[in-house]
Amino acid sequence: MGQFGTEFCDHFAIARFENNTWSSASIEPLRPLSMHPASHVFHYSSTCFEGFKAYRWGDGKARIYRLPEHVSRMQKSAASLHLPIPDAELLASMVKDLVAAQIEDIPAPPSSLYLRPTLIGTLENIGAAAAPSSEATLFVLASPVGDYFAGGSATLKLLVEDQRARSTEQLGSTKTGGNYAAALGPTLAAKEQYGVDQVLFCPNGDVQETGAANFLVIGDDEIITKPLDTTFLHGMTRDSILKLAADNGYTVSERNFTVDELLELVKTHEAALSGTAACLSPVGSLVYHGKEIKIRDGGPGPNTEKLRKALQDIQYGLAPDTYGWLTEVG
Ligand SMILES: *Cc1c(COP(=O)(O)O)cnc(C)c1O
């Protein structure tokens, strides 16, 4: 398997929204899309996406992780961009049909099939900066992906950015292209200047998240992360880890905290990033005002490892799915 996101299954799912209705979806051989250069998405970023995984267990069947919740997050993203909202049943069946069609291509855990539903505005109008796209294309890509931790579980180094925001208050919880464009410049600059992996965006000191992952502080008996608001993306991995942490006896504190508090907390606590691609990744150090602050010994912490394993065991079929997070296909 190539680098994450560079290899694709030979089919994709696609549906169109025109004349106020969704067409029925079809599974087709993967092909380039043909679009008018005036398509709304090219000019006004009318686009949103989802990302989640399906696992193929020893019984040969696939299990899609938290499908209904990802579908509903996609609907919220579409609504916030005033794009046509895909019907939940339409999108869920596109994903399930695609997984069924490609089931033989899903590698065994810890590898998986990454699924990428994408919605784009296709209205042909370059004078529509302040008007929504009334036409859209919805497609789902499938991409076999390997184990993120195959090279051993290295820790991440983050730059603590206490001025700039990753996104805006109105689109922070929308999975839309423009947010990644906004985070790209600061992230590249931080990589070059400090050799960090990611930027932890903490506008005015409010610890939010990195460019594409949520941020959690984890102690021996508590887990701390920002409460849900519109400034950051509501990760499903974050939600799952918090539930499993509570089950494992941790106190779950969803509360706002500042950079100053964070620097105090990491004297005794671990830190981690959560997201679909890497599940729960340990953070080994923070760079703040030019100074590097090691977290513990800089290596992965036991609480982070324990919670990551608790989630992966469910995804891989090694622990019971008590929350009903998995949708079976095949
Ligand atoms: C997708 C994403 C996450 C993680 O969400 P998961 O549902 O856990 O994969 C976190 N932050 C941002 C900005 C994201 O785009």
Side-chain angles (χ1 to χ4, degrees):
M1 252 162 296
Q3 236 194 319
F4 185 95
T6 59
E7 191 181 303
F8 301 99
C9 290
D10 56 9
H11 287 75
F12 77 142
I14 186 161
R16 280 281 299 154
F17 185 87
E18 275 167 335
N19 304 321
N20 276 316
T21 45
W22 283 101
S23 69
S24 57
S26 54
I27 304 290
E28 297 178 13
L30 184 62
R31 57 171 165 82
L33 297 178
S34 166
M35 278 189 294
H36 196 285
S39 294
H40 198 275
V41 60
F42 296 141
H43 305 272
Y44 306 119
S45 288
S46 48
T47 170
C48 59
F49 66 91
E50 268 305 318
F52 49 93
K53 288 176 174 173
Y55 303 86
R56 191 172 181 219
W57 290 3
D59 62 5
K61 293 181 190 172
R63 308 291 188 298
I64 306 170
Y65 189 65
R66 303 199 70 172
L67 176 61
E69 293 94 337
H70 286 102
V71 166
S72 123
R73 191 170 70 185
M74 181 92 169
Q75 290 181 309
K76 284 188 197 132
S77 288
S80 77
L81 297 164
H82 300 272
L83 273 162
I85 300 171
D87 299 328
E89 273 161 39
L90 171 79
L91 179 53
S93 60
M94 286 169 76
V95 172
K96 285 189 278 187
D97 291 351
L98 183 62
V99 169
Q102 307 283 177
I103 202 159
E104 300 296 332
D105 299 321
I106 308 180
S111 296
S112 61
L113 189 68
Y114 180 77
L115 295 153
R116 171 58 68 88
T118 308
L119 176 66
I120 54 175
T122 55
L123 182 71
E124 296 166 13
N125 183 350
I126 55 170
S133 179
S134 53
E135 293 178 8
T137 295
L138 173 66
F139 60 84
V140 184
L141 288 172
S143 169
V145 293
D147 179 15
Y148 185 89
F149 294 98
S153 77
T155 57
L156 299 167
K157 185 170 161 182
L158 309 183
L159 177 73
V160 177
E161 159 64 65
D162 62 1
Q163 302 297 319
R164 285 189 289 188
R166 159 190 172 264
S167 173
T168 57
E169 186 269 330
Q170 69 269 32
L171 285 182
S173 55
T174 298
K175 231 169 158 64
T176 185
N179 285 339
Y180 307 90
L184 182 61
T187 304
L188 293 180
K191 279 185 187 184
E192 168 142 358
Q193 202 175 348
Y194 299 106
V196 296
D197 301 292
Q198 293 292 333
V199 174
L200 179 61
F201 289 95
C202 312
N204 302 314
D206 174 36
V207 179
Q208 295 184 342
E209 64 169 333
T210 64
N214 294 131
F215 182 74
L216 305 149
V217 175
I218 309 172
D220 290 337
D221 48 20
E222 70 172 335
I223 183 162
I224 305 162
T225 195
K226 188 173 171 59
L228 298 182
D229 66 22
T230 59
T231 62
F232 76 104
L233 203 286
H234 303 171
M236 228 52 80
T237 315
R238 169 194 178 281
D239 181 77
S240 305
I241 291 288
L242 294 185
K243 289 195 167 80
L244 296 176
D247 292 348
N248 280 276
Y250 291 80
T251 302
V252 175
S253 303
E254 290 184 78
R255 62 174 177 87
N256 288 305
F257 56 101
T258 62
V259 169
D260 287 343
E261 283 177 85
L262 169 63
L263 299 180
E264 271 307 305
L265 280 168
V266 295
K267 291 177 180 164
T268 50
H269 290 54
E270 302 163 26
L273 294 185
S274 74
T276 292
C279 193
L280 193 62
S281 299
V283 175
S285 70
L286 302 172
V287 177
Y288 185 54
H289 288 169
K291 215 179 99 208
E292 181 165 355
I293 300 135
K294 241 192 201 183
I295 301 181
R296 304 171 60 260
D297 60 358
N303 294 292
T304 303
E305 300 285 284
K306 178 169 129 184
L307 291 170
R308 184 176 89 218
K309 186 171 185 304
L311 178 51
Q312 289 180 329
D313 280 353
I314 295 172
Q315 294 170 330
Y316 303 167
L318 304 173
D321 174 23
T322 49
Y323 289 99
W325 283 338
L326 302 168
T327 299
E328 189 179 300
V329 173

